[in-house]
Amino acid sequence: MTIIDSQVHAYEANTPKRPWHSVPNWPDHVTGDEMVAAMDKVGVDGAIFISAFSMYRYDASYAVEVQRAHPGRLAIVKPVDPDDPAVADVVADWRNTPGTVGVRIILTQEAKREPTDPGLDRILRAAVRHDFPVNILCWGNLDAGAQLIDRHPDTRFIIDHLGIMQPWADLPKVLELARRPNAVIKVSGTCTLSREPYPFPDIWDPLARVFDAWGLDRCLWGTDWTRAFAVVNYEQAVEPFRSTARLSDSERAMLMGGACAKAYGWSPKRVGAT
């Protein structure tokens, strides 16, 4: 079984060389090397590295550096700016950057952006043109996310973090979203939705409803490390899914790797592997 984490963040310490835009409740640094070492320790074969918007906004230069150092282990996604009139060119340039597998848009309530925003339209048309899936963060704003997905049926959407910010509050909307054939969903950061301590036994009943509605071939497991840092270390975000009796071996293989490889068109390759 090949395990692919559908969302990780790596970043340098906050220094004048590469300053953070904001300071979240995360470790002082989780460099690319440290992220890959954490993956190695628990047997995660590869990961989708999402350039951290909270720290670096639309600058993905660090992600590019890290991917270059770990080309077989990490694929990269970056947020793109709907307010940039040249954003279609940004997407095209990103497509030509080694290791890239998608772009990301932010459609939270805090973003104060309508699903009819012409900048979003430019991004989504460019993504189709360059055969990129689009990660969409729309938790707490699922109605707007659904409108955008419906307006762009040719775009492949990957919904971040189950679309849920508060523990299972919007689960009915998430289940209804599954009717969109052009969307898949990340089962990422799920441990942060638990009200119980490790190994978070209360996540499985609501997750079963998600799996039934979406189908496991459209569900992408991920840790969302390091956002999940306040709740779990990396191993604690992996182990509940690898050891649960609620998944068969074939279901686990699809959830923890197969669906992600299909959605992003990428699979990891360890150095020296053939």
Side-chain angles (χ1 to χ4, degrees):
M1 177 174 109
T2 298
I3 300 179
I4 307 173
D5 190 335
S6 71
Q7 179 140 347
V8 301
H9 301 292
Y11 50 92
E12 293 182 316
N14 188 7
T15 66
K17 175 195 165 203
R18 190 177 264 122
W20 297 358
H21 180 270
S22 61
V23 181
N25 179 26
W26 296 4
D28 290 340
H29 55 82
V30 177
T31 65
D33 291 347
E34 289 168 331
M35 188 69 246
V36 171
M39 292 160 53
D40 285 343
K41 185 178 177 183
V42 296
V44 171
D45 299 291
I48 309 298
F49 170 10
I50 314 294
S51 181
F53 182 72
S54 59
M55 293 168 171
Y56 298 143
R57 311 315 270 180
Y58 302 110
D59 175 9
S61 56
Y62 184 63
V64 172
E65 286 179 19
V66 169
Q67 196 281 333
R68 194 179 298 133
H70 302 281
R73 306 297 302 283
L74 299 169
I76 49 178
V77 170
K78 79 165 185 170
V80 287
D81 184 2
D83 294 327
D84 180 355
V87 71
D89 295 333
V90 172
V91 175
D93 289 345
W94 187 243
R95 187 57 160 134
N96 292 323
T97 303
T100 60
V101 293
V103 294
R104 190 186 200 199
I105 58 175
I106 311 294
L107 194 62
T108 56
Q109 290 180 340
E110 294 77 20
K112 295 182 170 56
R113 195 175 297 279
E114 294 298 322
T116 53
D117 186 293
L120 293 175
D121 289 342
R122 283 194 293 271
I123 292 168
L124 299 178
R125 286 195 299 266
V128 172
R129 192 176 312 124
H130 298 289
D131 193 27
F132 258 163
V134 177
N135 282 39
I136 176 171
L137 181 65
C138 58
W139 57 8
N141 204 24
L142 282 171
D143 292 340
Q147 287 180 51
L148 187 66
I149 291 167
D150 288 342
R151 289 183 69 244
H152 290 270
D154 295 332
T155 303
R156 293 183 291 135
F157 289 92
I158 300 175
I159 299 167
D160 288 337
H161 309 328
L162 284 160
I164 295 175
M165 182 181 287
Q166 301 300 327
W168 311 112
D170 288 326
L171 184 58
K173 291 182 179 181
V174 171
L175 302 180
E176 197 275 333
L177 264 179
R179 297 190 297 105
R180 278 74 178 174
N182 59 324
V184 300
I185 194 163
K186 281 187 184 175
V187 181
S188 51
T190 315
C191 300
T192 66
L193 301 177
S194 176
R195 294 185 176 92
E196 298 187 36
Y198 180 85
F200 318 113
D202 60 334
I203 66 174
W204 292 105
D205 286 346
L207 281 182
R209 297 176 65 189
V210 173
F211 299 156
D212 286 346
W214 285 84
L216 279 162
D217 62 331
R218 297 169 64 206
C219 293
L220 287 56
W221 165 82
T223 60
D224 196 20
W225 179 257
T226 51
R227 182 184 66 86
F229 161 73
V231 177
V232 288
N233 62 36
Y234 191 67
E235 182 177 10
Q236 289 169 334
V238 175
E239 202 54 39
F241 287 83
R242 188 156 49 190
S243 61
T244 182
R246 297 284 291 261
L247 297 168
S248 68
D249 288 346
S250 62
E251 289 170 338
R252 196 180 336 269
M254 180 59 70
L255 176 66
M256 297 190 75
C260 189
K262 176 182 170 186
Y264 285 106
W266 177 82
S267 292
K269 186 175 182 180
R270 289 180 179 269
V271 175
T274 56

